[in-house]
Amino acid sequence: MNRSLSSRSRRFTVLVAVTASTVLALAGCSSNSGGKKSEESAGGVSAGKATTPRMTIAMITHAVPGDTFWDTIRKGAQAAAAKDNIKLIYSSDPNGGNQANLVQNAIDQKVDGIAVTLAKPDAMKETVAKAMRAGIPVVGFNSGVDDWQKQGLLQYFGQDETVAGEAVGKKLSSLGAKKVACVIQEQGQVALEARCAGVKKGFSGTTENLFVNGADMPSVQSTITAKLKQDPSIDYVVTLAAPVALTATQAVSDGGSRAKVATFDLNKELVKAIQDGSIQFAVDQQPYLQGYLAVDSLWLYKNNGNYSGGGVAPVLTGPAFVDKSNVAAVATFAAKGTR
């Protein structure tokens, strides 16, 4: 988030997101081209379809293959695309240079809009600027809350990762934690590093970052296991993705540790783990909403000149804590793959 925002602006921005999510609950089906198949893939969510001229929008993310978090973002994007009469072209690559090449491909295809994540903002800067010089509107989501305005993007949808991390740190302090290992599954990814920096800032105990390869879960498990064996004083493992959290629970068992696990982000398996107590809590940034708003905002900009957040403030979709006290409220949606 832009640090110059007042608390009043922050509350307004959150209100924008909440209001938008309320409206969105009434709308959407999902696929690249609409129809019955799209309704099924959106988990039964359906609504009317826009009669505005067909648009083509490219969504380009830094997703790591196999991370189900991105399936949820894509479902939200597909739901908005189906509703808005949009052809959605989705592509991803965790490598910053390769992701920039995907943006170039979208420029070459002369798409009507681009929704992009800025996990590696320096790698994306030149190509994103090229898209805008070509007259293609670009919005950001999920990663890049500190860089979207610097790069001239129209709008941004996501959570402030530093604020989210601080909230986790404070919660861990309230739970009596003393030492935390914060597991980063992709070194150099600004949003992930901001989360752990936020945890450290908000936590009254000590923290240590542990870097793992999120594309290799057996390696993640062995690395966390080794760390817990080496340092039995670690009483909480904080992970930054649902699949890593689920792997961490096994690592805790393998390491003979008493450490508890908390995480950022949800999927249906993680919801079950919160219900059975193997994971203490998760921070939900509402990825479905991020994908939906990113695509829908480009339709609104094209057809009505709208800027969510006034074009000067991000639209916040998180953070919100999910634990045993409220997990039942999101379990049904998580089972559909939309939370």
Side-chain angles (χ1 to χ4, degrees), residues 7-338:
S7 60
R8 181 177 179 182
S9 297
R10 185 191 296 270
R11 291 194 296 271
F12 169 75
T13 305
V14 174
L15 178 60
V16 172
V18 171
T19 303
S21 63
T22 302
V23 174
L24 297 178
L26 304 175
C29 50
S30 105
S31 87
N32 289 358
S33 57
K36 179 174 173 51
K37 181 178 179 181
S38 69
E39 292 181 9
E40 294 171 347
S41 64
V45 181
S46 61
K49 188 172 181 178
T51 58
T52 47
R54 184 79 160 164
M55 291 175 60
T56 299
I57 289 177
M59 173 169 276
I60 301 157
T61 78
H62 62 279
V64 175
D67 188 343
T68 55
F69 174 87
W70 297 98
D71 296 337
T72 309
I73 278 186
R74 191 171 180 178
K75 282 186 178 183
Q78 289 171 330
K83 178 182 71 71
D84 293 338
N85 192 25
I86 288 170
K87 177 184 178 183
L88 180 67
I89 303 171
Y90 179 91
S91 58
S92 64
D93 198 297
N95 178 277
N98 293 341
Q99 189 187 6
N101 289 337
L102 294 174
V103 174
Q104 181 62 57
N105 291 344
I107 297 170
D108 295 341
Q109 294 177 63
K110 298 181 178 179
V111 299
D112 298 298
I114 295 174
V116 68
T117 61
L118 299 178
K120 309 282 176 62
D122 291 341
M124 303 296 292
K125 185 176 181 179
E126 183 177 341
T127 312
V128 167
K130 187 175 180 179
M132 291 184 289
R133 287 196 299 270
I136 301 172
V138 183
V139 301
F141 70 101
N142 180 261
S143 292
V145 69
D146 293 321
D147 294 278
W148 69 279
Q149 284 184 297
K150 298 175 188 175
Q151 297 199 16
L153 275 61
L154 292 173
Q155 302 157 82
Y156 181 85
F157 306 93
Q159 73 180 4
D160 185 316
E161 302 294 3
T162 301
V163 171
E166 287 183 44
V168 169
K170 291 175 182 177
K171 186 172 182 69
L172 291 169
S173 296
S174 72
L175 294 172
K178 301 299 181 184
K179 188 169 186 179
V180 169
C182 193
V183 182
I184 300 177
Q185 74 269 19
E186 186 182 345
Q187 194 164 359
Q189 212 269 57
V190 293
L192 300 183
E193 295 188 353
R195 288 179 176 181
C196 285
V199 171
K200 182 176 182 179
K201 185 176 180 180
F203 185 47
S204 60
T206 59
T207 65
E208 182 177 350
N209 291 351
L210 179 64
F211 293 96
V212 298
N213 178 7
D216 182 353
M217 283 302 162
S219 172
V220 171
Q221 183 172 329
S222 62
T223 302
I224 297 174
T225 299
K227 183 63 180 177
L228 293 174
K229 286 182 176 179
Q230 175 201 347
D231 187 354
S233 68
I234 294 172
D235 53 6
Y236 255 92
V237 176
V238 174
T239 66
L240 310 181
V244 179
L246 295 166
T247 299
T249 61
Q250 185 59 51
V252 168
S253 177
D254 293 347
S257 172
R258 295 185 178 181
K260 296 178 180 179
V261 178
T263 191
F264 290 75
D265 300 334
L266 285 173
N267 62 22
K268 61 183 179 182
E269 289 79 16
L270 193 122
V271 165
K272 294 176 183 175
I274 293 174
Q275 290 173 318
D276 68 27
S278 56
I279 291 178
Q280 302 305 301
F281 65 86
V283 177
D284 183 19
Q285 61 175 304
Q286 300 189 93
Y288 183 95
L289 186 60
Q290 291 177 9
Y292 192 108
L293 292 175
V295 171
D296 197 45
S297 69
L298 287 165
W299 180 85
L300 287 166
Y301 176 75
K302 174 76 172 180
N303 289 283
N304 205 45
N306 294 123
Y307 291 84
S308 295
V312 297
V315 176
L316 300 183
T317 62
F321 286 107
V322 178
D323 56 23
K324 271 197 170 183
S325 70
N326 62 0
V327 67
V330 300
T332 300
F333 303 115
K336 297 177 181 179
T338 57

